[in-house]
Amino acid sequence: MLPSELVKYKEDSRKIVALTAWDSISGSLAEQSDADLILVGDSLAMVCLGYKSTLPITLDNIIYHTNAVSRGFNKKIDEQPLIVCDMPFLTYQCGENKAVEYAGKIIQNTYAKAVKIEGAEPEIQSVISRLIRMGIPVMGHLGLTPQSYLNLGLKKQGQNLESQEKIKREASILEKLGCFSIVLEHIPEFLAKEIKENLKIPIIGIGAGDHCDGQIRVTADLLGLNEDQPPFCKPIIEGKKLFKKSLKEWVASERLK
Ligand code: KIV
């Protein structure tokens, strides 16, 4: 699937369902679940590599993990989900030329067909515009943007009028720049709904209520694999507890043989 086809989902009132993946097992699970889009998000820093934030992820890390994810796919190429790859911290905040070089490396060395970029500050806007003109589709990301956590923390955004107006303004700018969709993370439901209704491109929510054009979740959160669960993701199974218990039982039973 191409990013432009995702825009058709909104035109056809078809819900988009997206998952993250970080290796071939999670890639295979996400693909077999029939998700429309798989994000190789920089959250892999925390859910797979044991870091405390997304900031340590490098370009080489994201390329390495994206290739592992697509090696887990089993479907025929034209039935596979769209892979979108996060641009790591400081690979697009460092000027247009570097951003084109780094996004180009992701596109040339993986099966990702688009990159995701956090924020919409003026410097970021010019980077997004340049990438799109150079033929690299861009997904935006507003609201809680984990790469800005040193400034903003990891708290819910859009909690006052000023912040709500900023998010609305930036979402419109991202659409005008040519982003094919926007992730809205951890913002009030009414705000996500208003943005979704005012824009033509799909709004994909995480912790942004049920009124978005689609939903995305960090697969490890959904499966209950993490110690620290974000407040906006209720696990569908208690994966960590279940695996721990099963492995403990196996180890104990082997000892008895
Ligand atoms: O890195 C990530 O997994 C993300 C999602 C939270 C959307 O950006």
Side-chain angles (χ1 to χ4, degrees), residues 127-191:
V127 163
I128 290 176
S129 164
R130 174 88 174 270
L131 289 177
I132 294 171
R133 279 188 284 119
M134 295 301 110
I136 301 177
V138 178
M139 171 183 258
H141 183 157
L142 300 173
L144 194 172
T145 48
Q147 290 183 21
S148 318
Y149 100 98
L150 294 176
N151 283 333
L152 300 175
L154 290 175
K155 56 182 191 289
K156 189 168 184 172
Q157 299 297 305
Q159 298 278 56
N160 57 45
L161 201 59
E162 191 189 346
S163 164
Q164 289 158 13
E165 291 304 320
K166 181 171 185 282
I167 296 169
K168 282 195 267 183
R169 200 171 49 246
E170 291 184 341
S172 299
I173 290 172
L174 291 181
E175 176 167 270
K176 286 200 189 87
L177 291 175
C179 286
F180 69 93
S181 67
I182 302 173
V183 167
L184 291 181
E185 181 168 357
H186 209 16
I187 63 167
E189 183 161 352
F190 78 88
L191 182 59

Side-chain angles (χ1 to χ4, degrees), residues 20 39 41-44 86 116 118 141 183 185 206 216 218:
T20 69
L39 173 72
D42 55 7
S43 59
L44 75 85
D86 257 339
K116 177 163 78 59
E118 293 183 10
H141 183 157
V183 167
E185 181 168 357
I206 173 165
I216 183 162
V218 174

Side-chain angles (χ1 to χ4, degrees), residues 62-64 66-67 85 105-113:
I62 211 91
I63 290 174
Y64 179 84
T66 306
N67 286 326
C85 210
K105 281 205 168 128
I106 292 175
I107 298 295
Q108 286 185 314
N109 293 293
T110 72
Y111 287 111
K113 295 198 180 89

